[in-house]
Amino acid sequence: MPHSTSAAGLSAPELPVDDANPLPQVSRQWRASIDIELAQRAGRTALMRARHQGPLRIQRVFYPEPSGCAHVYLLHPPGGLVVGDELSISVAAATGAHGLLTTPSAGKIYTVKGLRHSDAATEQTQRVSLVLQPDSVCEWLPQETIIFNGANARLNTQLEAAADARFCLWDIVCLGRPASNEVFTEGVVEQTLQVRIDNRPVLIERNRMRGGDAMMEAMWGLQGAGSFGTLVASVTLSRDQIDNLLENLAERWPEAKWGITQKKQLLIARYLGASAAECRFGFVAIWQALRPVMLGCEAVEPRIWYT
């Protein structure tokens, strides 16, 4: 299983302070974007374009699979978003292309105490757009996003796929920093996930969590859990296969709440529990079970998960 990423010891970045006014000032906004195009060339998937602005790069492309699937590692050197930052990732997979995209570490949405109200209200935004042409494959498997207490985060993931394209994506969120005993008591996280197939919406979800609200502890909400995740894949499993997966997850991580639903052509898995790393381990186990059904080949885990 991949090595877990601990949030212990992380702290919000320091902002400059004006001696005449002791409240910190937001001195810059980093807007970073990358536009990636993958296409089939000479028997493997090639990186045809990686146009970027700001601090967002492709760290490396690897080919650990006989099929020629491109494992693409995305690197955001600042390590997280502070007030006003925007991160935009766009991936286009051409016909026949197969890309697996991940990140070398957890993403972080910071907060800075003592900001003026107008600054504190500025959103920290991450947008991911995945566009899949016919007979293409995209696996969007980033490591978790850690939301610091007091952050104002907007997480938006959109996938547009042709009818015969195949995909697996997940989104894992950790509220606060459990390893540092930091609870998410203030701030806002808005998470949006949209999937369209052949220009038809097949999944639209929007979650809004406000620190300190009743839903953080309520049985109809997060039930006191600090981490949650959603996995969506274009694959169909039988009832027996789903039950076997759920039994395996419950046996390995009995304290967590797991759910798997077949919604027409989509398989949707969910996690609710105390650990984003636990969620990621469980999602990797699900992905390993889905890959042979979806693609006819075994899952090959990115090497960066072990570092």
Side-chain angles (χ1 to χ4, degrees):
M1 299 302 296
H3 175 71
S4 63
T5 302
S6 171
L10 298 175
S11 59
E14 297 291 334
L15 292 183
V17 177
D18 183 349
D19 291 337
N21 188 334
L23 292 178
Q25 307 283 322
V26 176
S27 61
R28 61 102 183 100
Q29 293 178 331
W30 279 358
R31 292 181 171 87
S33 65
I34 190 164
D35 183 12
I36 297 169
E37 181 182 348
L38 303 171
Q40 182 76 356
R41 293 290 186 275
R44 71 178 190 176
T45 296
L47 178 65
M48 305 301 294
R49 182 180 70 237
R51 185 180 300 116
H52 65 85
Q53 293 183 337
L56 188 58
R57 302 286 192 276
I58 290 180
Q59 182 179 12
R60 188 76 183 272
V61 179
F62 292 95
Y63 293 94
E65 304 191 48
S67 65
C69 169
H71 285 212
V72 181
Y73 298 172
L74 292 177
L75 178 64
H76 183 226
L81 304 181
V82 299
V83 174
D85 283 359
E86 296 180 7
L87 199 64
S88 179
I89 299 167
S90 177
V91 180
T95 298
H98 181 186
L100 186 158
L101 299 99
T102 190
T103 55
S105 61
K108 293 169 281 291
I109 310 292
Y110 294 114
T111 188
V112 181
K113 295 181 180 179
L115 287 175
R116 291 185 178 85
H117 177 73
S118 59
D119 291 334
T122 303
E123 298 175 357
Q124 299 142 282
T125 304
Q126 176 179 288
R127 299 184 181 88
V128 178
S129 173
L130 310 171
V131 179
L132 283 60
Q133 297 300 320
D135 195 34
S136 65
V137 181
C138 181
E139 296 171 281
W140 172 249
L141 313 177
Q143 299 199 49
E144 61 268 23
T145 301
I146 302 169
I147 312 293
F148 280 49
N149 189 37
N152 187 10
R154 302 294 183 271
L155 308 175
N156 188 312
T157 302
Q158 298 186 47
L159 182 143
E160 178 80 37
D164 62 348
R166 290 155 293 171
F167 55 85
C168 180
L169 64 91
W170 67 48
D171 193 10
I172 303 170
V173 175
C174 175
L175 298 176
R177 294 177 292 162
S180 298
N181 297 317
E182 179 185 276
V183 181
F184 193 73
T185 58
E186 57 181 344
V188 178
V189 180
E190 186 174 293
Q191 181 194 42
T192 304
L193 174 61
Q194 300 182 56
V195 176
R196 297 175 62 89
I197 298 179
D198 258 2
N199 296 317
R200 293 184 299 104
V202 295
L203 180 66
I204 299 177
E205 294 190 350
R206 179 175 176 268
N207 299 311
R208 183 177 177 86
M209 285 69 64
R210 183 179 293 275
D213 276 4
M215 73 165 293
M216 300 291 293
E217 300 293 335
M219 290 301 295
W220 49 264
L222 296 182
Q223 304 176 37
S227 296
F228 56 92
T230 301
L231 178 151
V232 180
S234 57
V235 64
T236 301
L237 297 186
S238 68
R239 183 70 256 176
D240 286 345
Q241 288 173 312
I242 291 175
D243 289 343
N244 288 337
L245 263 177
L246 287 171
E247 288 176 8
N248 178 50
L249 294 168
E251 181 179 340
R252 296 173 69 177
W253 301 283
E255 300 300 320
K257 294 179 174 63
W258 301 94
I260 301 178
T261 305
Q262 188 73 57
K263 185 178 180 181
K264 296 184 179 180
Q265 69 266 57
L266 294 186
L267 186 87
I268 304 170
R270 302 188 191 277
Y271 167 90
L272 190 62
S275 168
E278 180 179 74
C279 176
R280 179 158 46 88
F281 295 159
F283 280 2
V284 169
I286 295 172
W287 171 64
Q288 289 172 330
L290 298 183
R291 246 257 191 149
V293 180
M294 185 173 72
L295 301 178
C297 60
E298 298 296 322
V300 177
E301 297 178 42
R303 287 187 289 178
I304 197 70
W305 289 352
Y306 294 95
T307 62

